[in-house]
Amino acid sequence: MNRRHCAAAALTLVCALAVLTAPAQAFAAPAPPSPSHSPTGPQKKSLEEVRKEIEALYLKAEAATDAYNLAEEQTKKQSGEIVELAQAIVAGQAKIADLKSRAGAQAREQYRTGGLPPGAQMMLSDDPQMFMDGVNRVWQGQQAAKGVLGELTRTQEDLETYTKDASSNWKRLEANRLKQARAKKQINGQIAAAKKLESQLEKEERARLLELEQEAEYKAQTAWLGSGALKEINREASAHGKKAVAFATAQIGKPYVWGAEGPGSYDCSGLTSQAWAAAGRPIPRTSQEQWRQLPHIAIKDMRPGDLIIYHGDASHVGMYIGDGAIVHAPRPGRNVTLAGAGSMEILGVVRPDR
């Protein structure tokens, strides 16, 4: 029995060493077999499977980041609108108080003169000139009274509109805050799950994981170049495009942080939006809005400074810099870097300065 146990243990050790040293495919080190588990139980995932799982988690986090960024942008806009409406409401209330004061003064004056305004009393005079002056003053008084009442009515209506708009904006603001909170929770969950998977790998496996990522990107880029996509792409950058490229490439080496838009860190659309803002052409904050709002162009017409939108949900963006390359902020745990323009699934291209 002891010999059989020793032989089984030795065989297990040899198999484990063979798997770990195999050049084509690396595996996480298997846990010691538990007495309660069969030797034919579930196997550890290969590094390629782990890579794909981590990639999927980061893609989900990136989509949620876009939702968070959009909600944050809308929240800022609505907060500003609410402040402006509050100021308009205060000004409107002050104006109404002034108009009521003027209307009250007119009423008190009429009361003091026995119900007849000074102009009406002058109309009772036998002096023709005083009569004409009285007619004039009565007409002016009536117009003034109408003006005060009309202005008071309009101001009250404006105040009601401002109040309704402020209430509506407040509801939208709260809804967007809830969207932000949900997106933030989802992002943190996806990133935590991806980091947990990566943290369970040995140092050598993490290095191999990075190599697998690079190999997958290289394979996709090679296929894209092989399709002839780059043959007709030879256009010069515009003056604004050159400035945007210069800004974006100057950020290489800075870390990816979701929701960040510089200067110390960026997410993918934070980098592209800030680069074009620096070039004097502000663009939407998120990759999905950049795809939705900016002019679309054909890949063959692409020039440096244009933005390449990736994945079916437009959740990633990079800036084309020429020679088949982009600069982009890849994902958490990675820095702003250069990559092949075809290293990810291309949805399309947009031009901020068309």
Side-chain angles (χ1 to χ4, degrees):
M1 286 294 289
N2 286 337
R3 287 180 182 177
R4 281 201 296 273
H5 282 306
C6 290
L11 182 60
T12 301
L13 180 59
V14 169
C15 290
L17 288 171
V19 167
L20 286 173
T21 55
Q25 191 178 36
F27 292 77
S34 168
S36 60
H37 287 76
S38 165
T40 58
Q43 297 295 311
K44 286 279 186 180
K45 293 178 181 177
S46 71
L47 270 181
E48 178 59 18
E49 289 172 324
V50 171
R51 182 193 71 78
K52 287 181 178 178
E53 191 171 345
I54 289 173
E55 182 182 29
L57 287 165
Y58 279 128
L59 283 175
K60 289 177 182 177
E62 197 157 39
T65 297
D66 222 47
Y68 175 89
N69 288 338
L70 181 59
E72 184 181 49
E73 190 175 35
Q74 290 172 338
T75 296
K76 287 178 183 175
K77 182 182 177 184
Q78 284 154 2
S79 295
E81 288 173 352
I82 287 172
V83 170
E84 289 176 5
L85 287 167
Q87 291 170 342
I89 288 169
V90 170
Q93 289 171 334
K95 190 173 182 181
I96 285 173
D98 178 61
L99 290 168
K100 284 182 176 179
S101 176
R102 284 162 59 187
Q106 288 177 348
R108 288 191 297 273
E109 179 64 24
Q110 188 172 350
Y111 177 76
R112 281 197 298 270
T113 55
L116 291 174
Q121 293 176 3
M122 290 172 69
M123 286 174 65
L124 300 176
S125 171
D126 293 333
D127 186 332
Q129 185 59 47
M130 287 188 70
F131 175 80
M132 291 305 296
D133 288 345
V135 169
N136 236 4
R137 290 183 65 179
V138 166
W139 182 83
Q140 289 173 351
Q142 287 173 338
Q143 292 303 110
K146 283 181 183 177
V148 169
L149 292 174
E151 195 172 356
L152 181 59
T153 301
R154 286 193 300 274
T155 304
Q156 287 174 326
E157 288 172 352
D158 287 345
L159 197 58
E160 287 177 10
T161 301
Y162 295 151
T163 303
K164 286 178 183 175
D165 287 348
S167 176
S168 177
N169 272 19
W170 182 260
K171 287 178 183 176
R172 287 199 298 271
L173 180 68
E174 288 305 300
N176 275 322
R177 282 176 176 161
L178 288 174
K179 282 182 186 176
Q180 275 181 280
R182 285 195 296 269
K184 186 174 183 179
K185 184 177 180 181
Q186 186 179 0
I187 293 162
N188 286 333
Q190 304 288 3
I191 291 175
K195 285 182 175 178
K196 183 178 179 182
L197 275 175
E198 203 162 349
S199 70
Q200 291 170 344
L201 301 175
E202 300 293 336
K203 183 179 178 181
E204 293 78 9
E205 289 176 316
R206 286 198 294 273
R208 178 60 184 149
L209 183 68
L210 180 57
E211 288 177 9
L212 288 173
E213 286 180 16
Q214 293 168 342
E215 285 170 12
E217 290 174 4
Y218 177 77
K219 184 178 178 181
Q221 175 74 353
T222 303
W224 183 69
L225 293 176
S227 70
L230 202 59
K231 286 180 181 178
E232 297 181 52
I233 303 176
N234 56 3
R235 288 165 177 77
E236 292 269 332
S238 66
H240 288 291
K242 287 177 182 177
K243 290 179 182 177
V245 169
F247 180 94
T249 52
Q251 312 313 309
I252 289 173
K254 293 183 179 180
Y256 177 107
V257 174
W258 71 265
E261 46 189 332
S265 57
Y266 296 88
D267 63 20
C268 67
S269 57
L271 177 65
T272 54
S273 60
Q274 287 302 304
W276 273 100
R281 289 293 183 94
I283 63 173
R285 167 65 177 88
T286 70
S287 58
Q288 290 177 346
E289 288 301 293
Q290 288 168 7
W291 174 244
R292 190 175 70 84
Q293 295 185 36
L294 297 178
H296 292 201
I297 63 164
I299 290 177
K300 66 182 180 64
D301 296 325
M302 190 163 58
R303 70 188 186 196
D306 289 343
L307 305 181
I308 304 181
I309 309 296
Y310 293 97
H311 310 305
D313 58 358
S315 59
H316 190 73
V317 59
M319 180 180 292
Y320 185 64
I321 62 170
D323 297 323
I326 60 166
V327 58
H328 73 142
R331 66 164 176 83
R334 300 287 184 259
N335 297 331
V336 175
T337 189
L338 299 180
S343 60
M344 295 168 282
E345 176 198 359
I346 296 176
L347 177 62
V349 181
V350 295
R351 178 164 294 165
D353 62 340
R354 185 170 178 175

